[in-house]
mmCIF file of all heavy atoms in Angstrom:
data_model
loop_
_atom_site.group_PDB
_atom_site.id
_atom_site.type_symbol
_atom_site.label_atom_id
_atom_site.label_comp_id
_atom_site.label_asym_id
_atom_site.label_seq_id
_atom_site.Cartn_x
_atom_site.Cartn_y
_atom_site.Cartn_z
ATOM 1 N N GLU A 119 -10.866 17.627 14.187
ATOM 2 C CA GLU A 119 -12.105 18.375 13.997
ATOM 3 C C GLU A 119 -12.178 19.626 14.865
ATOM 4 O O GLU A 119 -12.800 20.619 14.485
ATOM 5 C CB GLU A 119 -13.327 17.476 14.254
ATOM 6 C CG GLU A 119 -13.455 16.921 15.664
ATOM 7 C CD GLU A 119 -12.614 15.687 15.913
ATOM 8 O OE1 GLU A 119 -11.848 15.285 15.011
ATOM 9 O OE2 GLU A 119 -12.718 15.133 17.026
ATOM 10 N N ASP A 120 -11.552 19.628 16.037
ATOM 11 C CA ASP A 120 -11.576 20.828 16.870
ATOM 12 C C ASP A 120 -10.214 21.501 16.948
ATOM 13 O O ASP A 120 -9.999 22.413 17.752
ATOM 14 C CB ASP A 120 -12.095 20.491 18.274
ATOM 15 C CG ASP A 120 -11.177 19.544 19.041
ATOM 16 O OD1 ASP A 120 -10.165 19.092 18.463
ATOM 17 O OD2 ASP A 120 -11.479 19.253 20.217
ATOM 18 N N GLY A 121 -9.281 21.065 16.118
ATOM 19 C CA GLY A 121 -7.977 21.707 16.050
ATOM 20 C C GLY A 121 -7.001 21.301 17.131
ATOM 21 O O GLY A 121 -5.880 21.820 17.178
ATOM 22 N N THR A 122 -7.376 20.357 18.013
ATOM 23 C CA THR A 122 -6.464 19.969 19.082
ATOM 24 C C THR A 122 -5.370 19.004 18.611
ATOM 25 O O THR A 122 -4.381 18.808 19.299
ATOM 26 C CB THR A 122 -7.241 19.335 20.258
ATOM 27 O OG1 THR A 122 -8.100 18.300 19.755
ATOM 28 C CG2 THR A 122 -8.092 20.379 20.967
ATOM 29 N N LEU A 123 -5.562 18.417 17.448
ATOM 30 C CA LEU A 123 -4.526 17.587 16.832
ATOM 31 C C LEU A 123 -4.098 18.272 15.542
ATOM 32 O O LEU A 123 -4.897 18.429 14.612
ATOM 33 C CB LEU A 123 -5.063 16.181 16.554
ATOM 34 C CG LEU A 123 -4.077 15.188 15.937
ATOM 35 C CD1 LEU A 123 -2.875 14.980 16.848
ATOM 36 C CD2 LEU A 123 -4.774 13.860 15.667
ATOM 37 N N ALA A 124 -2.855 18.705 15.488
ATOM 38 C CA ALA A 124 -2.367 19.477 14.342
ATOM 39 C C ALA A 124 -2.332 18.627 13.077
ATOM 40 O O ALA A 124 -1.942 17.461 13.111
ATOM 41 C CB ALA A 124 -0.979 20.035 14.642
ATOM 42 N N ALA A 125 -2.715 19.232 11.965
ATOM 43 C CA ALA A 125 -2.749 18.518 10.687
ATOM 44 C C ALA A 125 -1.364 18.063 10.249
ATOM 45 O O ALA A 125 -1.229 17.056 9.543
ATOM 46 C CB ALA A 125 -3.369 19.416 9.616
ATOM 47 N N ASP A 126 -0.318 18.786 10.657
ATOM 48 C CA ASP A 126 1.040 18.417 10.247
ATOM 49 C C ASP A 126 1.668 17.372 11.168
ATOM 50 O O ASP A 126 2.816 16.981 10.984
ATOM 51 C CB ASP A 126 1.947 19.650 10.171
ATOM 52 C CG ASP A 126 2.088 20.373 11.515
ATOM 53 O OD1 ASP A 126 1.554 19.883 12.525
ATOM 54 O OD2 ASP A 126 2.736 21.443 11.532
ATOM 55 N N GLY A 127 0.914 16.918 12.187
ATOM 56 C CA GLY A 127 1.417 15.880 13.083
ATOM 57 C C GLY A 127 2.512 16.349 14.018
ATOM 58 O O GLY A 127 3.214 15.532 14.612
ATOM 59 N N LYS A 128 2.650 17.676 14.203
ATOM 60 C CA LYS A 128 3.750 18.178 15.013
ATOM 61 C C LYS A 128 3.329 18.720 16.373
ATOM 62 O O LYS A 128 4.162 19.216 17.134
ATOM 63 C CB LYS A 128 4.512 19.263 14.235
ATOM 64 C CG LYS A 128 5.196 18.706 12.989
ATOM 65 C CD LYS A 128 5.925 19.775 12.201
ATOM 66 C CE LYS A 128 7.125 20.302 12.925
ATOM 67 N NZ LYS A 128 7.918 21.235 12.088
ATOM 68 N N SER A 129 2.037 18.625 16.697
ATOM 69 C CA SER A 129 1.600 19.036 18.032
ATOM 70 C C SER A 129 0.238 18.437 18.354
ATOM 71 O O SER A 129 -0.536 18.099 17.460
ATOM 72 C CB SER A 129 1.541 20.564 18.151
ATOM 73 O OG SER A 129 0.468 21.087 17.394
ATOM 74 N N VAL A 130 -0.026 18.306 19.640
ATOM 75 C CA VAL A 130 -1.326 17.845 20.121
ATOM 76 C C VAL A 130 -1.669 18.645 21.370
ATOM 77 O O VAL A 130 -0.816 18.886 22.225
ATOM 78 C CB VAL A 130 -1.317 16.325 20.413
ATOM 79 C CG1 VAL A 130 -0.230 15.958 21.402
ATOM 80 C CG2 VAL A 130 -2.664 15.867 20.913
ATOM 81 N N THR A 131 -2.905 19.106 21.422
ATOM 82 C CA THR A 131 -3.369 19.905 22.553
ATOM 83 C C THR A 131 -4.325 19.078 23.404
ATOM 84 O O THR A 131 -5.284 18.497 22.892
ATOM 85 C CB THR A 131 -4.083 21.178 22.067
ATOM 86 O OG1 THR A 131 -3.167 21.954 21.274
ATOM 87 C CG2 THR A 131 -4.568 22.019 23.239
ATOM 88 N N TRP A 132 -4.035 19.028 24.686
ATOM 89 C CA TRP A 132 -4.871 18.291 25.635
ATOM 90 C C TRP A 132 -5.661 19.262 26.502
ATOM 91 O O TRP A 132 -5.083 20.137 27.139
ATOM 92 C CB TRP A 132 -4.014 17.400 26.535
ATOM 93 C CG TRP A 132 -3.376 16.233 25.870
ATOM 94 C CD1 TRP A 132 -2.127 16.167 25.324
ATOM 95 C CD2 TRP A 132 -3.955 14.924 25.693
ATOM 96 N NE1 TRP A 132 -1.879 14.918 24.816
ATOM 97 C CE2 TRP A 132 -2.985 14.124 25.036
ATOM 98 C CE3 TRP A 132 -5.185 14.357 26.025
ATOM 99 C CZ2 TRP A 132 -3.210 12.791 24.710
ATOM 100 C CZ3 TRP A 132 -5.408 13.027 25.710
ATOM 101 C CH2 TRP A 132 -4.447 12.250 25.061
ATOM 102 N N LYS A 133 -6.966 19.079 26.520
ATOM 103 C CA LYS A 133 -7.824 19.841 27.425
ATOM 104 C C LYS A 133 -8.094 18.977 28.648
ATOM 105 O O LYS A 133 -8.535 17.838 28.533
ATOM 106 C CB LYS A 133 -9.129 20.218 26.732
ATOM 107 C CG LYS A 133 -8.924 21.158 25.546
ATOM 108 C CD LYS A 133 -10.237 21.528 24.887
ATOM 109 C CE LYS A 133 -10.009 22.474 23.709
ATOM 110 N NZ LYS A 133 -11.277 22.842 23.028
ATOM 111 N N LEU A 134 -7.821 19.530 29.806
ATOM 112 C CA LEU A 134 -7.893 18.761 31.041
ATOM 113 C C LEU A 134 -9.260 18.880 31.710
ATOM 114 O O LEU A 134 -9.947 19.895 31.588
ATOM 115 C CB LEU A 134 -6.813 19.231 32.021
ATOM 116 C CG LEU A 134 -5.402 19.399 31.454
ATOM 117 C CD1 LEU A 134 -4.454 19.848 32.557
ATOM 118 C CD2 LEU A 134 -4.918 18.099 30.826
ATOM 119 N N LYS A 135 -9.624 17.836 32.431
ATOM 120 C CA LYS A 135 -10.865 17.865 33.202
ATOM 121 C C LYS A 135 -10.785 18.938 34.280
ATOM 122 O O LYS A 135 -9.767 19.077 34.959
ATOM 123 C CB LYS A 135 -11.082 16.504 33.894
ATOM 124 C CG LYS A 135 -12.012 15.560 33.182
ATOM 125 C CD LYS A 135 -12.317 14.382 34.095
ATOM 126 C CE LYS A 135 -13.341 13.475 33.444
ATOM 127 N NZ LYS A 135 -13.667 12.332 34.331
ATOM 128 N N LYS A 136 -11.876 19.660 34.469
ATOM 129 C CA LYS A 136 -11.942 20.655 35.536
ATOM 130 C C LYS A 136 -12.581 20.026 36.776
ATOM 131 O O LYS A 136 -13.346 19.079 36.681
ATOM 132 C CB LYS A 136 -12.741 21.874 35.081
ATOM 133 C CG LYS A 136 -12.107 22.636 33.916
ATOM 134 C CD LYS A 136 -12.939 23.844 33.542
ATOM 135 C CE LYS A 136 -12.247 24.692 32.482
ATOM 136 N NZ LYS A 136 -12.192 24.001 31.180
ATOM 137 N N GLY A 137 -12.235 20.571 37.933
ATOM 138 C CA GLY A 137 -12.835 20.090 39.169
ATOM 139 C C GLY A 137 -12.185 18.847 39.746
ATOM 140 O O GLY A 137 -12.681 18.286 40.729
ATOM 141 N N VAL A 138 -11.074 18.399 39.167
ATOM 142 C CA VAL A 138 -10.370 17.228 39.686
ATOM 143 C C VAL A 138 -9.432 17.678 40.803
ATOM 144 O O VAL A 138 -8.748 18.695 40.681
ATOM 145 C CB VAL A 138 -9.562 16.534 38.576
ATOM 146 C CG1 VAL A 138 -8.804 15.332 39.136
ATOM 147 C CG2 VAL A 138 -10.474 16.102 37.436
ATOM 148 N N THR A 139 -9.387 16.909 41.879
ATOM 149 C CA THR A 139 -8.490 17.237 42.989
ATOM 150 C C THR A 139 -7.575 16.065 43.301
ATOM 151 O O THR A 139 -7.916 14.903 43.064
ATOM 152 C CB THR A 139 -9.263 17.600 44.263
ATOM 153 O OG1 THR A 139 -10.097 16.495 44.636
ATOM 154 C CG2 THR A 139 -10.132 18.830 44.052
ATOM 155 N N TRP A 140 -6.409 16.396 43.813
ATOM 156 C CA TRP A 140 -5.508 15.371 44.338
ATOM 157 C C TRP A 140 -6.096 14.827 45.634
ATOM 158 O O TRP A 140 -6.987 15.443 46.221
ATOM 159 C CB TRP A 140 -4.115 15.962 44.579
ATOM 160 C CG TRP A 140 -3.454 16.412 43.307
ATOM 161 C CD1 TRP A 140 -3.376 17.693 42.836
ATOM 162 C CD2 TRP A 140 -2.820 15.579 42.328
ATOM 163 N NE1 TRP A 140 -2.727 17.718 41.624
ATOM 164 C CE2 TRP A 140 -2.363 16.428 41.290
ATOM 165 C CE3 TRP A 140 -2.577 14.208 42.226
ATOM 166 C CZ2 TRP A 140 -1.698 15.947 40.170
ATOM 167 C CZ3 TRP A 140 -1.903 13.730 41.106
ATOM 168 C CH2 TRP A 140 -1.469 14.586 40.101
ATOM 169 N N HIS A 141 -5.603 13.713 46.076
ATOM 170 C CA HIS A 141 -6.149 13.079 47.277
ATOM 171 C C HIS A 141 -6.007 13.940 48.524
ATOM 172 O O HIS A 141 -6.727 13.734 49.504
ATOM 173 C CB HIS A 141 -5.470 11.727 47.514
ATOM 174 C CG HIS A 141 -5.805 10.707 46.476
ATOM 175 N ND1 HIS A 141 -4.995 9.615 46.202
ATOM 176 C CD2 HIS A 141 -6.864 10.593 45.626
ATOM 177 C CE1 HIS A 141 -5.545 8.887 45.238
ATOM 178 N NE2 HIS A 141 -6.665 9.454 44.868
ATOM 179 N N ASP A 142 -5.104 14.917 48.499
ATOM 180 C CA ASP A 142 -4.960 15.823 49.649
ATOM 181 C C ASP A 142 -5.803 17.079 49.497
ATOM 182 O O ASP A 142 -5.706 18.007 50.311
ATOM 183 C CB ASP A 142 -3.499 16.185 49.866
ATOM 184 C CG ASP A 142 -2.857 16.919 48.684
ATOM 185 O OD1 ASP A 142 -3.573 17.212 47.694
ATOM 186 O OD2 ASP A 142 -1.645 17.198 48.732
ATOM 187 N N GLY A 143 -6.645 17.123 48.454
ATOM 188 C CA GLY A 143 -7.564 18.241 48.277
ATOM 189 C C GLY A 143 -7.075 19.352 47.389
ATOM 190 O O GLY A 143 -7.858 20.226 46.991
ATOM 191 N N LYS A 144 -5.790 19.342 47.006
ATOM 192 C CA LYS A 144 -5.253 20.385 46.131
ATOM 193 C C LYS A 144 -5.779 20.179 44.703
ATOM 194 O O LYS A 144 -5.999 19.049 44.266
ATOM 195 C CB LYS A 144 -3.728 20.337 46.122
ATOM 196 C CG LYS A 144 -3.080 20.634 47.466
ATOM 197 C CD LYS A 144 -3.220 22.097 47.830
ATOM 198 C CE LYS A 144 -2.271 22.478 48.975
ATOM 199 N NZ LYS A 144 -2.451 21.712 50.222
ATOM 200 N N PRO A 145 -5.994 21.271 43.952
ATOM 201 C CA PRO A 145 -6.534 21.125 42.590
ATOM 202 C C PRO A 145 -5.522 20.551 41.600
ATOM 203 O O PRO A 145 -4.321 20.840 41.680
ATOM 204 C CB PRO A 145 -6.915 22.563 42.215
ATOM 205 C CG PRO A 145 -6.024 23.426 43.056
ATOM 206 C CD PRO A 145 -5.828 22.682 44.345
ATOM 207 N N PHE A 146 -6.008 19.746 40.681
ATOM 208 C CA PHE A 146 -5.208 19.234 39.570
ATOM 209 C C PHE A 146 -5.277 20.238 38.433
ATOM 210 O O PHE A 146 -6.368 20.632 38.000
ATOM 211 C CB PHE A 146 -5.761 17.877 39.127
ATOM 212 C CG PHE A 146 -5.354 17.465 37.729
ATOM 213 C CD1 PHE A 146 -4.058 17.073 37.455
ATOM 214 C CD2 PHE A 146 -6.277 17.487 36.690
ATOM 215 C CE1 PHE A 146 -3.689 16.697 36.166
ATOM 216 C CE2 PHE A 146 -5.926 17.114 35.403
ATOM 217 C CZ PHE A 146 -4.620 16.720 35.139
ATOM 218 N N THR A 147 -4.115 20.694 37.921
ATOM 219 C CA THR A 147 -4.080 21.711 36.864
ATOM 220 C C THR A 147 -3.010 21.385 35.831
ATOM 221 O O THR A 147 -2.259 20.405 35.959
ATOM 222 C CB THR A 147 -3.783 23.107 37.448
ATOM 223 O OG1 THR A 147 -2.417 23.146 37.892
ATOM 224 C CG2 THR A 147 -4.711 23.444 38.617
ATOM 225 N N ALA A 148 -2.927 22.247 34.844
ATOM 226 C CA ALA A 148 -1.920 22.105 33.793
ATOM 227 C C ALA A 148 -0.504 22.153 34.354
ATOM 228 O O ALA A 148 0.424 21.575 33.773
ATOM 229 C CB ALA A 148 -2.105 23.193 32.743
ATOM 230 N N ASP A 149 -0.332 22.844 35.489
ATOM 231 C CA ASP A 149 1.008 22.912 36.092
ATOM 232 C C ASP A 149 1.520 21.523 36.457
ATOM 233 O O ASP A 149 2.717 21.251 36.359
ATOM 234 C CB ASP A 149 0.972 23.796 37.350
ATOM 235 C CG ASP A 149 0.737 25.265 37.026
ATOM 236 O OD1 ASP A 149 1.157 25.706 35.935
ATOM 237 O OD2 ASP A 149 0.118 25.961 37.848
ATOM 238 N N ASP A 150 0.619 20.637 36.870
ATOM 239 C CA ASP A 150 1.024 19.278 37.231
ATOM 240 C C ASP A 150 1.463 18.490 35.995
ATOM 241 O O ASP A 150 2.398 17.693 36.054
ATOM 242 C CB ASP A 150 -0.134 18.551 37.924
ATOM 243 C CG ASP A 150 -0.545 19.214 39.226
ATOM 244 O OD1 ASP A 150 0.318 19.361 40.106
ATOM 245 O OD2 ASP A 150 -1.726 19.599 39.349
ATOM 246 N N VAL A 151 0.782 18.735 34.873
ATOM 247 C CA VAL A 151 1.115 18.035 33.642
ATOM 248 C C VAL A 151 2.486 18.494 33.133
ATOM 249 O O VAL A 151 3.335 17.671 32.775
ATOM 250 C CB VAL A 151 0.025 18.272 32.578
ATOM 251 C CG1 VAL A 151 0.391 17.557 31.276
ATOM 252 C CG2 VAL A 151 -1.331 17.793 33.084
ATOM 253 N N VAL A 152 2.704 19.803 33.112
ATOM 254 C CA VAL A 152 3.996 20.339 32.660
ATOM 255 C C VAL A 152 5.110 19.854 33.588
ATOM 256 O O VAL A 152 6.200 19.462 33.134
ATOM 257 C CB VAL A 152 3.965 21.874 32.609
ATOM 258 C CG1 VAL A 152 5.349 22.433 32.301
ATOM 259 C CG2 VAL A 152 2.961 22.352 31.566
ATOM 260 N N PHE A 153 4.831 19.829 34.886
ATOM 261 C CA PHE A 153 5.841 19.364 35.840
ATOM 262 C C PHE A 153 6.195 17.895 35.609
ATOM 263 O O PHE A 153 7.364 17.506 35.678
ATOM 264 C CB PHE A 153 5.364 19.548 37.286
ATOM 265 C CG PHE A 153 6.287 18.912 38.286
ATOM 266 C CD1 PHE A 153 7.484 19.516 38.622
ATOM 267 C CD2 PHE A 153 5.982 17.676 38.851
ATOM 268 C CE1 PHE A 153 8.367 18.904 39.507
ATOM 269 C CE2 PHE A 153 6.845 17.057 39.739
ATOM 270 C CZ PHE A 153 8.043 17.678 40.069
ATOM 271 N N THR A 154 5.192 17.066 35.336
ATOM 272 C CA THR A 154 5.456 15.650 35.087
ATOM 273 C C THR A 154 6.414 15.482 33.916
ATOM 274 O O THR A 154 7.315 14.637 33.940
ATOM 275 C CB THR A 154 4.134 14.899 34.826
ATOM 276 O OG1 THR A 154 3.302 14.988 35.986
ATOM 277 C CG2 THR A 154 4.374 13.438 34.486
ATOM 278 N N TRP A 155 6.228 16.294 32.874
ATOM 279 C CA TRP A 155 7.153 16.284 31.728
ATOM 280 C C TRP A 155 8.560 16.673 32.178
ATOM 281 O O TRP A 155 9.541 15.998 31.839
ATOM 282 C CB TRP A 155 6.631 17.245 30.661
ATOM 283 C CG TRP A 155 7.635 17.638 29.617
ATOM 284 C CD1 TRP A 155 8.189 16.839 28.673
ATOM 285 C CD2 TRP A 155 8.201 18.944 29.418
ATOM 286 N NE1 TRP A 155 9.062 17.560 27.881
ATOM 287 C CE2 TRP A 155 9.080 18.854 28.315
ATOM 288 C CE3 TRP A 155 8.027 20.173 30.056
ATOM 289 C CZ2 TRP A 155 9.795 19.956 27.849
ATOM 290 C CZ3 TRP A 155 8.736 21.269 29.586
ATOM 291 C CH2 TRP A 155 9.618 21.157 28.496
#
Side-chain angles (χ1 to χ4, degrees):
E119 62 278 4
D120 65 357
T122 51
L123 181 60
D126 61 4
K128 295 179 69 174
S129 71
V130 56
T131 301
W132 290 93
K133 296 181 180 179
L134 313 181
K135 262 190 175 181
K136 296 181 174 69
V138 179
T139 59
W140 296 100
H141 292 157
D142 61 3
K144 296 289 195 302
F146 160 72
T147 70
D149 291 330
D150 298 303
V151 179
V152 173
F153 172 77
T154 298
W155 164 67

